[in-house]
Amino acid sequence: MGVNSKIKNVYSCDGNLLLIIKLLVRQPCEISTSQRENIFHTRCKILEQICPLIIDSGSRSNCCSTRLVAKLGLTIIPHPKLYKLQLLNEKKDIVVNQQVKVKFSIGNYKDNVLYDIVLMEVCHTLIGRS
């Protein structure tokens, strides 16, 4: 019809991101029915820095990137129970042996989450279901 409308991304936290995410180039393929569709991307504030955040109801872990911990100088806590993760990067299993407690906000919502520290390039924080 004759109406022009623009779609605009609306984030609860605006501003420059603490990290520029690497873009991955993939060839198009058929969508698998096993792919989860309940992944939510947004931004949050951690120590007044804007950070990408993924909420994934299919994940059972709360993960924080090693890069975020290093850039913000967060206090590392030894993990009480070591375990291995797969499929977060191109390497084999990742041994998770550290945690960090992070205060973050999304708009007016504020929370304090205990994250497992892992090497990941997708975002700074990934929140799964508890």
Side-chain angles (χ1 to χ4, degrees):
M1 304 261 191
V3 178
N4 272 339
S5 63
K6 293 183 179 181
I7 298 174
K8 181 180 179 184
N9 290 333
V10 178
Y11 294 103
S12 58
C13 294
D14 289 326
N16 295 328
L17 286 172
L18 179 64
L19 166 77
I20 297 174
I21 300 172
K22 289 183 183 178
L23 296 176
L24 301 176
V25 179
R26 291 197 57 172
Q27 297 295 324
C29 62
E30 285 187 36
I31 296 176
S32 169
T33 56
S34 67
Q35 289 179 334
R36 294 188 303 263
E37 296 180 10
N38 45 354
I39 296 176
F40 180 73
H41 297 260
T42 190
R43 293 177 180 176
C44 67
K45 267 191 183 178
I46 301 173
L47 296 176
E48 298 304 315
Q49 298 290 327
I50 308 296
C51 304
L53 168 79
I54 294 177
I55 299 172
D56 179 5
S57 64
S59 175
R60 293 184 181 177
S61 301
N62 294 330
C63 297
C64 180
S65 74
T66 54
R67 185 176 295 169
L68 176 74
V69 174
K71 284 191 177 225
L72 296 182
L74 301 174
T75 304
I76 296 172
I77 306 165
H79 201 291
K81 186 177 179 183
L82 305 179
Y83 68 96
K84 292 183 179 181
L85 280 179
Q86 293 178 324
L87 302 175
L88 284 180
N89 65 7
E90 297 173 6
K91 298 178 183 177
K92 292 186 179 182
D93 295 346
I94 298 172
V95 176
V96 178
N97 58 5
Q98 297 176 325
Q99 294 180 316
V100 65
K101 195 161 198 168
V102 178
K103 291 181 184 179
F104 74 94
S105 65
I106 303 171
N108 292 331
Y109 176 78
K110 295 180 182 180
D111 205 347
N112 211 353
V113 175
L114 185 63
Y115 290 101
D116 295 338
I117 302 172
V118 297
L119 177 64
M120 61 180 175
E121 298 290 333
V122 176
C123 65
H124 280 312
T125 56
L126 182 135
I127 297 178
R129 59 185 169 171
S130 53

